[in-house]
Amino acid sequence: MTSTSTEPQPRTSQFLYRATQRVRAYDRRHPLTWDLLLTGFCVIAALIDYAGDGWKNIAHNTDVPGGLVLVLSLALSLPMLWRRTHPLAALTVMVAAGVVNSATGAVLQAALLQLFVVFNVALRCRMRTLVLACAMTMVPVVVAVVRFPKGSWDAQVVPQFWALALVAALGLALRSRQDYTNSLVERARQLEVERDQQARLAAAAERARIAREMHDIIGHNLSVITGLADGGSYAAARNPERAGQALTAIATTSRQALTELRRLLDVLGEELPPPTADLTPQPALADLSSLIEGVRTAGLPVDITHDGDPSTLPPGTQLAVYRIVQEALTNTLKHGGPGATATVSLTYAPDAVTVTVTDTGTGGPPAPGGRGLTGMRERTALYDGTLDAGPQPTGGWRVAAQLPTPKDA
């Protein structure tokens, strides 16, 4: 019993594949070098056929002048240098030399080099050009049949025709494969571009969300701290006990702001926090009471009314309502002026939740270009809601938002 091993075959095929890839890569980097080498080989072979009188072994007429044979040998081989850059022009020169070759009966073997040029025409030119090139290549064959008939005409023409058709088919097949490969490469490039665009859009959206959260957290708490500090400095001379309470409230509010900020930064960190860590730093409607109490402590009287049950609202909607109330009260603290009061009204209906915040401030509207109103509009639009913010006819400011309740809420 004999055993055969197939292990060398894959190694051989891999070696041939790598060698072919290296040759192609070198050809792409140095096309002129490769063209010069191939053309030089063809010219030397044609000159050897001429110098050694090898062409006379198959020639129909051995009395063709040597000078003409030399010119024909060069005319049939030198155009190979332009077979890729100007294939049709190179083929025209070679066909003209081929007609003379057939008419004189020299039958130089260098005429077969026309098939290489036809292959490049099929690989690089339009179908109309390929048909023209094939017709041109058949002209010397017809001239040879007419000038030196030998046996039946089809025995001379058909083999040449099939050889030409085979070369053209090979060129078209390789061209189709290259086009398919190029389309895959282009599609991969487009997908990579789209992926990068999606990543940039996602990053921009995330930056906007982070900026909105930071504004809501820091802006509100700093406004409360500012109000407490102003009240504390005013009461320091007259009522030291009230000043101490203000300082305590400032410390409490600062700690709350730092806690919320740390939670937000923990969520944005690269490493995931431990399973026991709080992954949801966003407040809900249950936290409105502490928010209102902090605003009252800062010196802004606030009344709040509820109508309905908020427990059926999803967390996202609760967060949006909380942030709208927070931002509206923050704007009142900043711009309402002395003696301002605020009223918060929340209505929970089966199909929507409505929040209205009004104040009696006299300090004017929020400064243009701020993030407050923009953030409220973005949050409302995120849940397909509507927001109306503007001054009241009787004075003060009014913010009214309505957010639809999800069907499955």
Side-chain angles (χ1 to χ4, degrees):
M1 179 180 295
T2 61
S3 61
T4 59
S5 174
T6 59
E7 183 178 357
Q9 294 179 1
R11 292 181 178 177
T12 302
S13 61
Q14 292 176 5
F15 172 78
L16 293 176
Y17 175 78
R18 288 194 296 267
T20 303
Q21 291 300 108
R22 291 194 186 97
V23 172
R24 290 179 177 176
Y26 182 83
D27 184 32
R28 285 192 295 268
R29 293 193 304 268
H30 310 283
L32 182 59
T33 301
W34 183 256
D35 289 342
L36 288 173
L37 289 174
L38 182 60
T39 303
F41 174 80
C42 295
V43 170
I44 291 174
L47 293 179
I48 290 176
D49 187 42
Y50 155 73
D53 292 334
W55 62 276
K56 294 182 178 181
N57 295 329
I58 59 173
H60 296 311
N61 178 18
T62 58
D63 296 329
V64 180
L68 180 59
V69 173
L70 175 62
V71 171
L72 291 177
S73 299
L74 294 176
L76 290 171
S77 58
L78 275 178
M80 286 285 290
L81 183 62
W82 299 280
R83 75 190 189 283
R84 292 196 286 191
T85 56
H86 302 86
L88 191 60
L91 183 63
T92 301
V93 175
M94 297 175 76
V95 167
V99 170
V100 178
N101 178 49
S102 299
T104 58
V107 194
L108 298 177
Q109 296 298 304
L112 295 176
L113 296 177
Q114 297 174 83
L115 297 178
F116 286 93
V117 184
V118 172
F119 175 81
N120 281 271
V121 171
L123 191 62
R124 294 175 172 83
C125 300
R126 297 179 299 176
M127 183 61 66
R128 183 184 303 177
T129 305
L130 176 60
V131 173
L132 176 62
C134 292
M136 291 170 56
T137 307
M138 290 301 297
V139 172
V141 178
V142 174
V143 171
V145 172
V146 174
R147 181 72 175 81
F148 299 97
K150 183 179 180 181
S152 61
W153 68 270
D154 57 326
Q156 294 178 272
V157 174
V158 172
Q160 299 291 335
F161 174 80
W162 282 115
L164 185 63
L166 178 61
V167 170
L170 287 175
L172 291 175
L174 183 57
R175 178 177 182 173
S176 299
R177 180 178 178 83
Q178 289 180 348
D179 291 343
Y180 177 71
T181 303
N182 292 335
S183 66
L184 291 180
V185 173
E186 178 62 20
R187 177 58 179 165
R189 188 191 66 80
Q190 292 178 355
L191 290 176
E192 185 176 357
V193 171
E194 293 175 1
R195 182 199 63 191
D196 294 341
Q197 291 176 346
Q198 292 295 332
R200 285 194 293 268
L201 290 175
E206 184 64 14
R207 284 196 297 268
R209 186 191 69 82
I210 294 170
R212 186 170 59 243
E213 292 294 329
M214 296 285 285
H215 173 271
D216 291 341
I217 294 172
I218 298 178
H220 170 75
N221 286 285
L222 286 179
S223 297
V224 173
I225 291 172
T226 302
L228 291 170
D230 291 340
S233 62
Y234 177 78
R238 299 185 180 182
N239 192 340
E241 183 179 353
R242 290 293 302 273
Q245 293 175 356
L247 292 174
T248 302
I250 289 174
T252 302
T253 304
S254 301
R255 292 190 187 94
Q256 291 175 352
L258 287 174
T259 300
E260 291 189 33
L261 184 59
R262 288 194 186 99
R263 288 176 177 176
L264 180 60
L265 295 178
D266 286 342
V267 173
L268 298 175
E270 295 183 359
E271 296 183 0
L272 290 176
T276 57
D278 185 2
L279 299 180
T280 56
Q282 294 86 354
L285 290 178
D287 301 305
L288 270 179
S289 57
S290 59
L291 171 68
I292 299 298
E293 187 61 33
V295 174
R296 288 171 179 166
T297 305
L300 176 63
V302 181
D303 291 329
I304 182 169
T305 60
H306 296 269
D307 185 8
D309 183 13
S311 61
T312 58
L313 292 178
T317 306
Q318 293 193 36
L319 174 62
V321 172
Y322 180 94
R323 292 303 190 197
I324 291 172
V325 174
Q326 182 186 51
E327 182 56 38
L329 294 178
T330 301
N331 287 337
T332 301
L333 279 171
K334 290 181 179 178
H335 312 289
T341 62
T343 301
V344 179
S345 176
L346 298 170
T347 303
Y348 309 105
D351 58 344
V353 55
T354 303
V355 53
T356 305
V357 181
T358 58
D359 64 53
T360 60
T362 58
R371 290 183 173 270
L373 290 176
T374 302
M376 285 192 286
R377 289 194 176 93
E378 289 177 352
R379 290 185 185 278
T380 306
L382 182 63
Y383 293 94
D384 298 324
T386 58
L387 178 74
D388 181 25
Q392 301 185 91
T394 58
W397 194 265
R398 177 179 179 271
V399 175
Q402 187 178 63
L403 286 73
T405 304
K407 299 298 182 180
D408 56 347

